[in-house]
């Protein structure tokens, strides 16, 4: 058994999906449709390695639930399921030291990957703030922080270099930077979430963004997205097995006159059709 996971969500379909995906991966999975019942389960069934909880639930929301979890087990790994969270709730979640986010709807591959990271985080008791990037990389990250510490406007260059080093900016990295620069973690998260060039999820060597804005949508942008998904064999928000490509959909890229538009890294490709979209991939292989 890889570890014990408790999933808490008021949607039955989410609970069943998590069971269906995680049990074959070797995890012992328990579920609860309410936070108060989940707290009772922690007392009755012993400890869990990871708790995956929704942020919006009737009776007791995810933030209040996680606070009570932290009182019961300060070292438990917490993963937050987010639909449309407010900035304030995300800040509170970061302060509670969540390991990662699971945006709704999430793919089976993303759930399995996130669960694995959360289990590993639980094991790394000697380096709790190293998260999934390990103590060696944490040391390099500290070196970046120290090189900019005390300088005006240090946060953005530190975040840029941290993203180049780690590949993305998960909660553990944000907390590490906040601690190193002596700034609130809410300030770090605010900058990361405001600027589009920062990401809180892993990306491939080449990141593909497909615009689904109105101008692009009416010109078969959704078909282009489906073609890319089939060719790369990944879903939106995922990374190919060789880490070469990641795929995103966006609401507007500000290039409506070139619709439909696909952006790969910093390269804008306009007037694309499903066949041309696949041809573009060859330029980055």
């Amino acid at each position: 058994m890889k570890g014990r996971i408790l999933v808490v969500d008021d949607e039955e379909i989410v609970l069943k999906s998590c069971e269906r995906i995680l049990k074959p991966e070797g995890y012992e999975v328990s579920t609860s449709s309410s936070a108060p019942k989940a707290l009772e389960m922690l007392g009755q069934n012993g400890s869990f390695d990871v708790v995956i909880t929704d942020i919006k639930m009737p009776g007791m929301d995810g933030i209040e639930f996680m606070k009570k979890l932290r009182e019961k087990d300060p070292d438990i790994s917490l993963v937050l399921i987010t639909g449309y969270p407010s900035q304030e709730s995300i800040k509170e979640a970061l302060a509670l030291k969540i390991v990662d986010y699971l945006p709704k709807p999430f793919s089976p591959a993303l759930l399995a990957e996130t669960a694995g990271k959360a289990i590993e985080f639980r094991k790394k008791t000697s380096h709790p703030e190293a998260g999934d990037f390990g103590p060696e990389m944490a040391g390099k990250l500290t070196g970046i922080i120290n090189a900019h510490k005390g300088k005006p406007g240090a946060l953005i260059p530190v975040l840029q270099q941290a993203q180049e080093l780690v590949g993305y900016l998960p909660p553990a990295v944000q907390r590490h930077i906040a601690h190193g620069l002596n700034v609130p973690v809410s300030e770090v998260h605010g900058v990361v979430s405001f600027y589009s060039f920062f990401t809180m999820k892993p990306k491939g060597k080449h990141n593909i963004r497909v615009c689904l804005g109105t101008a692009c949508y009416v010109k078969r942008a959704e078909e282009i997205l489906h073609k890319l998904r089939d060719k790369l064999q990944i879903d939106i928000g995922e990374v190919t097995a060789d880490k070469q490509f990641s795929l995103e959909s966006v609401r507007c890229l500000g290039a409506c006159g070139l619709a439909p538009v696909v952006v790969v890294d910093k390269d804008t490709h306009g007037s694309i059709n499903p066949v041309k979209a696949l041809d573009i991939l060859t330029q980055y292989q």
Side-chain angles (χ1 to χ4, degrees), residues 4-282:
R4 301 187 68 206
I5 297 177
L6 173 61
V7 184
V8 187
D9 197 297
D10 60 321
E11 295 184 44
E12 193 67 26
I13 189 171
V14 174
L15 300 180
K16 290 187 178 300
S17 295
C18 288
E19 282 187 304
R20 177 177 54 81
I21 295 164
L22 294 176
K23 282 185 176 181
E25 294 286 332
Y27 300 106
E28 180 183 326
V29 183
S30 300
T31 63
S32 176
S33 58
S34 82
K37 288 181 180 178
L39 289 172
E40 291 178 11
M41 290 174 65
L42 262 74
Q44 296 168 355
N45 301 343
S47 64
F48 290 88
D49 299 300
V50 176
V51 172
I52 300 173
T53 179
D54 193 9
I55 195 171
K56 296 290 185 183
M57 296 182 289
M60 181 187 297
D61 67 19
I63 298 297
E64 184 181 355
F65 173 54
M66 289 192 295
K67 288 178 180 178
K68 293 183 181 295
L69 280 177
R70 277 282 175 248
E71 293 173 3
K72 287 179 172 288
D73 186 347
D75 297 323
I76 199 165
S77 288
L78 298 176
V79 175
L80 187 66
I81 300 174
T82 60
Y84 298 96
S86 66
Q87 284 293 315
E88 194 58 39
S89 63
I90 289 295
K91 290 175 184 177
E92 289 185 85
L94 282 166
L96 289 166
K97 296 187 176 181
I98 62 171
V99 176
D100 212 340
Y101 311 93
L102 271 173
K104 282 186 177 180
F106 47 82
S107 67
L110 181 59
L111 174 62
E113 179 185 0
T114 302
K117 288 180 179 178
I119 290 289
E120 288 302 311
F121 187 92
R122 172 75 164 183
K123 293 176 180 177
K124 293 174 182 175
T125 55
S126 61
H127 299 279
E129 282 303 311
D132 57 271
F133 52 93
E136 181 180 351
M137 192 169 287
K140 293 179 180 179
L141 183 57
T142 298
I144 292 171
I145 294 168
N146 290 340
H148 292 83
K149 196 170 184 178
K151 297 179 182 178
L155 180 54
I156 286 182
V158 167
L159 287 171
Q160 288 174 323
Q161 291 181 39
Q163 184 163 287
E164 290 176 6
L165 175 68
V166 182
Y168 66 119
L169 299 169
V173 172
Q174 293 182 46
R175 286 194 294 270
H176 195 101
I177 291 171
H179 178 75
L181 293 178
N182 195 27
V183 298
V185 69
S186 59
E187 180 179 339
V188 176
H189 176 74
V191 172
V192 171
S193 59
F194 181 80
Y195 292 102
S196 61
F197 49 81
F198 291 131
T199 178
M200 290 182 276
K201 286 294 177 185
K203 291 186 179 180
K205 179 180 179 181
H206 301 294
N207 187 49
I208 304 168
R209 291 181 291 164
V210 180
C211 182
L212 294 181
T214 303
C216 292
Y217 189 85
V218 299
K219 293 187 176 181
R220 305 169 66 193
E222 190 171 32
E223 187 178 343
I224 291 170
L225 180 60
H226 288 162
K227 286 283 187 181
L228 290 169
R229 287 168 60 184
D230 292 343
K231 177 65 175 179
L232 297 172
Q233 295 186 316
I234 58 173
D235 209 337
I236 296 169
E238 294 182 352
V239 182
T240 55
D242 60 6
K243 308 297 183 185
Q244 285 297 302
F245 294 100
S246 51
L247 183 62
E248 297 179 2
S249 64
V250 296
R251 288 302 167 192
C252 185
L253 288 169
C256 300
L258 298 175
V261 175
V262 174
V263 173
V264 183
D265 302 331
K266 296 180 181 180
D267 304 329
T268 300
H269 302 271
S271 302
I272 298 301
N273 61 46
V275 175
K276 286 184 179 179
L278 297 185
D279 289 341
I280 288 173
L281 295 180
T282 62

